[in-house]
């Protein structure tokens, strides 16, 4: 059998192992649901699939915050090829499969990369399993843009390594294509770290300016291929809430506590990831948050081998140590004064969540562990030193397990982790014993493999590592009954889909009643049944006045939300009524008393209904204003609305006030990117369109271009003359069209260079 066929067979076995690790998803209909999957990812992909099946291009998302850009927003990763499976019939199935597919892509890429860096196939298999099933990668099952970036990263490194070794047109094209696949993921902090790793690989292969130049040129080629994602995203950034950077509180959120780095050796050292971190005892160290990455552990055998390889100074040791130190210092974030200094210097004003920088250190460590594995087969020093590391971990796990039986263990545990005010502190402390026991068993197996392994050592180490990481997959990349998404909740069956939902309850997540709901083990059934944004979009329910957790809204929408908060702070009676009327929101949600909701559900948390949907008088999406109030700023808007909160059809705009003539909307038909409205007016009137304004909206009246005017902070309006008229609104992003042409041409050129024969002298 040729080397190529052996590699292909080994890669096929590897992919089969990854599929086996996700067997509940692939074969038994279980669904990913954790964190962003329920609240944003599943609904957003369902919207994309719905728009495409309707025969439109997804320029615009009409379901979210009264409408927001879609294709230009990298959170949707619209142009990531692996995601296009969702356009096939059976969305729910293909949504699950496309996530697993990216783990297979990651595993295969790591395997072929490590086949270049190691001498044995077993070493490449080992490293590919470590990378693809590591806690870092499994954490991305709910952070799909990062998953898309990281899944293609090994292929980009493989292509750059080949290009640096022997430059050619074909290898340059391959490097540009594979790097562009990561770029389509669109997550900027991850792409920055991948860029650093690509340059490092190029310089390691051949320390010359030529290698650096080729890597930079390949990156520029990748940028032209991914232009359809990158350029519109940069343009959108200028129009959104992020344009002026983030406050330091948001930048520093999810700074990794230094104590968490122990988790590289002891899985779940800072707490249990399952049940949405319900028993996570490290939450106080995170500022009462859950970790950004649910897991960072990538196996005791791999980390022990990596440490041993560093101690014997295998090639690349200095670079690995440099990457690890920089990565960990940045990830620790606000736990050192460095992050504040970088923020004040405006270097980190637009970055968020320092924990993301763990990628820069953990990826090299994981790949280095495979190199150490390879050398351990001929250098017994590495095996012995790795065994020492594993043995120390065994002793630590045994000590923790033994201490859990001490009479004073629970109060000491609660005090050490500073969780005394947590309502589940006692249960959390008691649950830690099972974690220490599992860690002890796993570390004993790993240490035994390192200490006593001989001829079959490699196979045993691979098997133990695969089982170890597959087990942690259950808690880090949790799944739920597939009916969670397939069966609509009771509220989705009765709400009118022609009116928007103002989810007021979502703004009160820190209240006592909210915490009682979200402390339930079945918390995500609460999110689903309560149609917490964007969950309602799965069943065609649009929303308005949403909380912008990630600060991705257009600036007018962010201004409108700020005005809402200011009105509420003024204690204006029924402050929500005029704002809901402006937003065409006809339902308002409020929390039900917890005991009442539990009683109604007959103690079945999966059937619990946490909120009540109150119908509210509102306006349609298109309506004529009955009064115009001149308003030049948000401050004036808040004061004017507070002065007359019952005026539901007043338009607040920087216009010369005039008395609008009587007018009516005869009909209105909306698609995802456009609207056709037929109106009749007895004189000059102002047609208000409750769709978030953006520079790429255009309008015509009877086929003639008409100016769209800002109104009510977030929305837009047209002055309609007397008579009967046909009005058309249309959203098109010309940058997307132009950049799509650039991307297609670049992709065609790179593909041709990759497959067409090249004449050689």
């Amino acid at each position: 059998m040729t080397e190529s066929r052996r590699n292909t067979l080994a890669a096929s076995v590897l992919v089969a192992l990854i599929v086996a690790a996700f067997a509940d998803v692939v074969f038994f209909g279980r669904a990913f649901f954790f964190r962003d999957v329920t609240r944003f990812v599943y609904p957003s992909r369902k919207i994309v699939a719905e728009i495409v099946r309707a025969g439109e291009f997804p320029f615009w998302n009409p379901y979210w915050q009264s409408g927001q850009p879609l294709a230009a927003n990298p959170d949707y990763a619209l142009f990531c090829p692996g995601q296009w499976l969702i356009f096939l019939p059976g969305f729910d199935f293909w949504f699950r499969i496309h996530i697993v597919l990216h783990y297979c892509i990651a595993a295969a890429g790591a395997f072929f990369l490590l086949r270049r860096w190691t001498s044995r196939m077993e070493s490449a298999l080992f490293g590919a399993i470590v990378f693809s099933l590591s806690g870092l990668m499994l954490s991305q099952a709910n952070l799909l843009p990062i998953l898309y970036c990281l899944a293609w990263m090994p292929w980009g490194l493989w292509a750059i390594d080949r290009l640096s070794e022997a430059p050619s047109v074909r290898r340059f094209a391959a490097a540009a294509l594979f790097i562009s696949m990561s770029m389509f993921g669109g997550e900027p902090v991850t792409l920055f770290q991948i860029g650093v790793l690509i340059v490092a690989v190029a310089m390691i292969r051949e320390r010359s300016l030529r290698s650096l130049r080729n890597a930079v040129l390949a990156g520029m080629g990748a940028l032209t291929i991914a232009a359809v994602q990158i350029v519109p995203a940069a343009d959108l950034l200028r129009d959104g809430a992020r344009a002026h950077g983030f406050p330091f509180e948001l930048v520093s959120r999810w700074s990794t506590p230094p104590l968490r780095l122990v988790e590289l050796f002891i899985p779940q050292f800072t707490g249990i990831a399952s049940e949405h971190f319900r028993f996570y005892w490290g939450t106080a160290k995170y500022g009462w948050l859950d970790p950004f990455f649910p897991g960072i552990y990538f196996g005791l055998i791999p980390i022990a081998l990596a440490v041993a390889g560093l101690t014997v100074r295998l090639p690349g040791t200095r670079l690995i140590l440099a990457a690890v130190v920089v990565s960990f210092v940045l990830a620790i974030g606000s736990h050192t004064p460095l992050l504040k200094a970088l923020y004040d210097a405006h270097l980190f004003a637009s970055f968020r969540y320092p924990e993301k920088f763990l990628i820069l250190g953990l990826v090299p460590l994981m790949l280095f562990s495979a190199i150490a594995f390879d050398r351990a087969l001929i250098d017994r020093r590495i095996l012995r030193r790795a065994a020492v590391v594993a043995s120390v971990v065994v002793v630590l796990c045994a000590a923790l397990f033994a201490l859990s039986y001490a009479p004073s263990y629970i109060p000491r545990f609660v005090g050490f982790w500073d969780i005394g005010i947590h309502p589940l502190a006692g249960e959390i402390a008691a649950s830690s014993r099972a974690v220490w026991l599992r860690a002890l068993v796993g570390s004993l197996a790993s240490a035994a493999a390192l200490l006593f392994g001989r001829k079959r050592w490699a196979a045993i180490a691979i098997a133990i590592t695969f089982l170890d990481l597959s087990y942690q997959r259950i808690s880090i990349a949790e799944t739920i009954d597939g009916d969670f998404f397939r069966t609509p909740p009771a509220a989705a069956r009765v709400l009118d889909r022609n009116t928007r939902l103002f989810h007021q309850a979502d703004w009160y997540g820190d209240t006592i009643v909210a915490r009682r709901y979200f402390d339930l083990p079945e918390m995500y059934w609460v999110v689903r049944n309560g149609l917490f944004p964007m969950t309602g979009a799965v069943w065609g329910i649009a929303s308005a006045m949403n909380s912008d957790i990630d600060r991705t809204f257009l600036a007018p929408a962010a201004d409108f939300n700020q005005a809402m908060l200011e009105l509420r702070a003024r204690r204006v009676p029924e402050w929500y009524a005029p704002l809901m009327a402006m937003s065409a929101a006809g339902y308002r949600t409020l929390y039900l008393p917890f005991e009442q909701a539990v009683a109604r559900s007959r103690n079945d948390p999966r059937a619990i209904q946490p909120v009540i949907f109150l119908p509210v008088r509102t306006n349609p999406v298109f309506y004529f204003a009955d009064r115009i109030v001149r308003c030049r700023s948000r401050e004036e808007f808040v004061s004017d609305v507070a002065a007359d909160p019952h005026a539901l059809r007043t338009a607040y705009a920087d216009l010369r006030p005039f008395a609008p003539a009587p007018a009516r909307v005869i009909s209105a038909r909306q698609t995802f990117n456009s609207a056709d409205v037929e109106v009749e007016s007895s004189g000059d009137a102002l047609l208000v369109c409750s769709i978030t304004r953006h520079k790429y909206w255009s309008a015509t009246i009877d086929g003639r271009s008409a100016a769209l005017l800002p109104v009510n902070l977030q929305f837009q309006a047209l002055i309609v003359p007397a008579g009967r008229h046909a009005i058309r609104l249309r959203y098109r992003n010309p940058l997307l069209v132009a950049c799509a042409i650039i991307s297609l041409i670049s992709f065609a050129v790179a593909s041709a260079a990759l497959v067409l024969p090249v004449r050689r002298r």
Side-chain angles (χ1 to χ4, degrees):
M1 186 182 294
T2 64
E3 184 70 13
S4 176
R5 292 190 65 183
R6 289 179 66 242
N7 286 341
T8 302
L9 179 61
S12 301
V13 171
L14 176 64
V15 168
L17 289 174
I18 302 302
V19 170
F22 290 95
D24 57 334
V25 176
V26 177
F27 302 113
F28 301 106
R30 300 279 292 180
F32 296 106
F33 72 99
F34 191 47
R35 286 208 299 210
D36 286 9
V37 175
T38 293
R39 286 184 169 267
F40 179 80
V41 177
Y42 189 97
S44 67
R45 276 39 173 191
K46 187 74 177 291
I47 292 167
V48 170
E50 181 183 350
I51 295 173
V52 171
R53 286 175 189 164
E56 296 190 60
F57 185 83
F59 285 109
W60 186 257
N61 177 4
Y63 289 101
W64 187 230
Q65 185 64 13
S66 302
Q68 294 289 307
L70 193 158
N73 188 340
D75 282 348
Y76 294 88
L78 178 66
F79 303 101
C80 186
Q83 186 176 244
W84 296 344
L85 288 173
I86 64 174
F87 301 140
L88 296 173
F91 169 84
D92 185 77
F93 173 77
W94 291 112
F95 175 81
R96 302 194 310 269
I97 295 302
H98 102 275
I99 295 176
V100 178
L101 171 65
H102 281 88
Y103 285 97
C104 296
I105 291 170
F111 172 77
F112 285 109
L113 172 66
L114 290 168
R115 284 298 286 135
R116 295 183 57 80
W117 290 356
T118 59
S119 59
R120 291 173 174 80
M121 187 174 293
E122 298 94 322
S123 307
L125 280 171
F126 174 80
I129 290 170
V130 169
F131 175 73
S132 57
L133 294 180
S134 64
L136 176 69
M137 283 297 291
L138 292 174
S139 296
Q140 313 317 321
N142 72 92
L143 300 167
L144 294 198
I146 300 180
L147 175 63
Y148 300 153
C149 294
L150 290 180
W152 288 102
M153 181 198 64
W155 289 100
L157 298 179
W158 171 82
I160 283 292
D161 190 58
R162 294 175 74 245
L163 177 64
S164 301
E165 178 189 49
S168 70
V169 172
R170 182 171 290 173
R171 292 188 174 193
F172 177 86
L177 284 167
F178 282 127
I179 294 171
S180 72
M181 293 299 105
S182 282
M183 287 186 175
F184 283 125
E187 207 291 309
V189 177
T190 306
L191 290 178
F192 168 77
Q193 295 176 86
I194 290 174
V196 172
L197 294 175
I198 283 173
V199 170
V201 167
M203 297 302 292
I204 289 172
R205 169 59 69 178
E206 185 178 334
R207 298 179 183 179
S208 67
L209 289 177
R210 185 185 70 168
S211 291
L212 178 60
R213 180 200 65 195
N214 288 340
V216 172
L217 289 175
M220 293 174 64
L223 191 60
T224 61
I225 296 172
V228 68
Q229 180 68 81
I230 302 301
V231 177
D235 176 62
L236 180 62
L237 178 64
R238 297 184 305 169
D239 300 333
R242 297 189 183 192
H244 304 294
F246 299 111
F248 182 72
E249 185 277 330
L250 187 58
V251 168
S252 61
R253 186 178 296 174
W254 274 302
S255 294
T256 304
L259 194 61
R260 199 193 179 196
L261 299 179
V262 178
E263 194 175 310
L264 291 172
F265 299 89
I266 302 176
Q268 298 185 330
F269 177 75
T270 53
I272 301 170
S274 58
E275 291 190 26
H276 60 86
F277 294 106
R278 187 164 175 258
F279 295 113
Y280 187 73
W281 49 80
T283 181
K285 306 295 184 184
Y286 268 100
W288 298 100
L289 294 169
D290 306 324
F292 185 78
F293 292 145
I296 61 173
Y297 175 74
F298 57 87
L300 180 53
I301 291 177
I303 189 63
L305 287 170
V307 171
L310 293 172
T311 62
V312 301
R313 297 185 179 181
L314 291 179
T317 291
R318 290 183 180 179
L319 282 174
I320 298 295
L321 287 174
V324 168
V325 170
V326 171
S327 167
F328 288 0
V329 169
L330 291 176
I332 287 170
S334 60
H335 297 286
T336 74
L338 177 63
L339 182 67
K340 188 63 167 66
L342 293 173
Y343 178 83
D344 291 339
H346 302 290
L347 296 176
F348 268 60
S350 295
F351 287 121
R352 296 183 305 157
Y353 311 155
E355 188 151 288
K356 290 180 181 178
F357 286 98
L358 286 176
I359 293 170
L360 185 62
L362 294 184
V363 169
L365 268 180
M366 288 186 277
L367 298 177
F368 187 70
S369 73
I371 296 172
F373 180 98
D374 194 59
R375 291 292 294 271
L377 296 171
I378 57 175
D379 187 345
R380 304 299 293 183
R381 291 180 306 160
I382 296 175
L383 208 56
R384 288 195 296 269
R385 295 185 186 192
V388 170
V389 173
S391 299
V392 170
V393 174
V394 170
V395 172
L396 289 174
C397 292
L400 289 170
F401 181 63
L403 286 172
S404 69
Y405 284 94
S408 61
Y409 175 74
I410 289 181
R412 288 179 179 272
F413 181 95
V414 170
F416 178 82
W417 293 102
D418 198 22
I419 55 173
I421 63 172
H422 198 294
L424 302 175
E427 296 175 64
I428 289 173
S431 69
S432 65
R433 180 182 298 165
V435 172
W436 308 144
L437 177 59
R438 287 193 294 269
L440 176 59
V441 172
S443 60
L444 280 170
S446 300
L450 292 167
L451 283 168
F452 306 115
R454 291 292 182 267
K455 292 182 179 180
R456 299 182 180 274
W457 174 81
I460 293 172
I462 291 172
I464 289 175
T465 300
F466 174 74
L467 293 173
D468 187 15
L469 298 182
S470 295
Y471 180 80
Q472 77 161 348
R473 193 246 94 182
I474 298 171
S475 61
I476 294 177
E478 281 188 280
T479 60
I480 200 168
D481 188 333
D483 285 341
F484 181 82
F485 289 117
R486 288 193 292 266
T487 305
R493 301 189 192 105
V494 298
L495 295 184
D496 181 2
R497 286 170 173 75
N498 294 318
T499 187
R500 294 171 181 156
L501 170 67
F502 167 39
H503 212 298
Q504 184 177 341
D506 195 44
W507 287 86
Y508 293 90
D510 293 330
T511 60
I512 294 176
V513 65
R515 294 318 323 157
R516 295 191 69 183
Y517 281 115
F518 292 127
D519 281 338
L520 289 170
E522 296 83 2
M523 181 265 275
Y524 282 90
W525 289 92
V526 170
V527 173
R528 168 194 179 272
N529 296 343
L531 298 182
F532 281 77
M534 292 177 48
T535 314
V538 175
W539 297 283
I541 298 169
S543 57
M545 301 164 62
N546 304 117
S547 175
D548 187 11
I549 296 174
D550 291 330
R551 292 174 64 88
T552 59
F553 290 169
L554 292 171
D559 264 359
F560 190 85
N561 278 358
Q562 184 60 36
M564 179 191 73
L565 296 176
E566 292 172 12
L567 273 172
R568 189 178 69 179
R570 290 191 182 195
R571 301 183 183 277
V572 175
E574 297 186 356
W575 53 266
Y576 53 85
L579 301 181
M580 289 182 65
M582 295 173 195
S583 306
Y587 293 102
R588 170 177 170 241
T589 71
L590 294 174
Y591 280 110
L592 288 167
F594 181 77
E595 290 79 5
Q596 176 184 335
V598 171
R600 286 183 177 179
S601 67
R602 297 180 181 177
N603 296 317
D604 178 8
R606 294 188 174 197
I608 199 167
Q609 180 59 53
V611 298
I612 185 172
F613 298 87
L614 298 174
V616 175
R617 182 186 172 194
T618 190
N619 297 321
V621 173
F622 302 98
Y623 66 94
F624 281 97
D626 58 14
R627 185 166 67 106
I628 299 172
V629 173
R630 191 159 197 178
C631 176
R632 298 179 181 86
S633 66
R634 187 182 72 233
E635 291 73 20
E636 288 185 12
F637 175 81
V638 171
S639 296
D640 291 339
V641 173
D644 191 4
H646 302 293
L648 302 187
R649 290 207 169 203
T650 298
Y652 302 89
D654 190 7
L655 298 174
R656 178 182 57 82
F658 65 92
R664 65 190 182 101
V665 174
I666 299 171
S667 66
R669 187 180 71 86
Q670 286 183 262
T671 66
F672 295 102
N673 301 312
S674 64
D676 290 289
V677 187
E678 190 174 354
V679 300
E680 187 175 44
S681 174
S682 60
D684 286 350
L686 189 70
L687 177 67
V688 177
C689 311
S690 297
I691 299 173
T692 305
R693 74 175 190 272
H694 190 222
K695 60 190 178 186
Y696 296 131
W697 276 105
S698 62
T700 60
I701 300 178
D702 299 327
R704 296 185 181 90
S705 180
L708 283 167
L709 308 171
V711 66
N712 298 340
L713 284 185
Q714 180 175 347
F715 304 110
Q716 47 199 337
L718 299 95
I719 295 178
V720 178
R724 186 163 180 155
H725 305 284
I727 296 173
R728 181 168 177 78
L729 278 78
R730 185 169 179 261
Y731 186 84
R732 290 291 185 276
N733 186 333
L735 266 181
L736 277 164
V737 177
C739 290
I741 294 171
I742 294 172
S743 292
L744 287 171
I745 293 173
S746 303
F747 178 80
V749 170
S751 300
L754 190 63
V755 301
L756 293 178
V758 178
R759 289 187 177 183
R760 298 181 180 274
R761 285 187 171 184

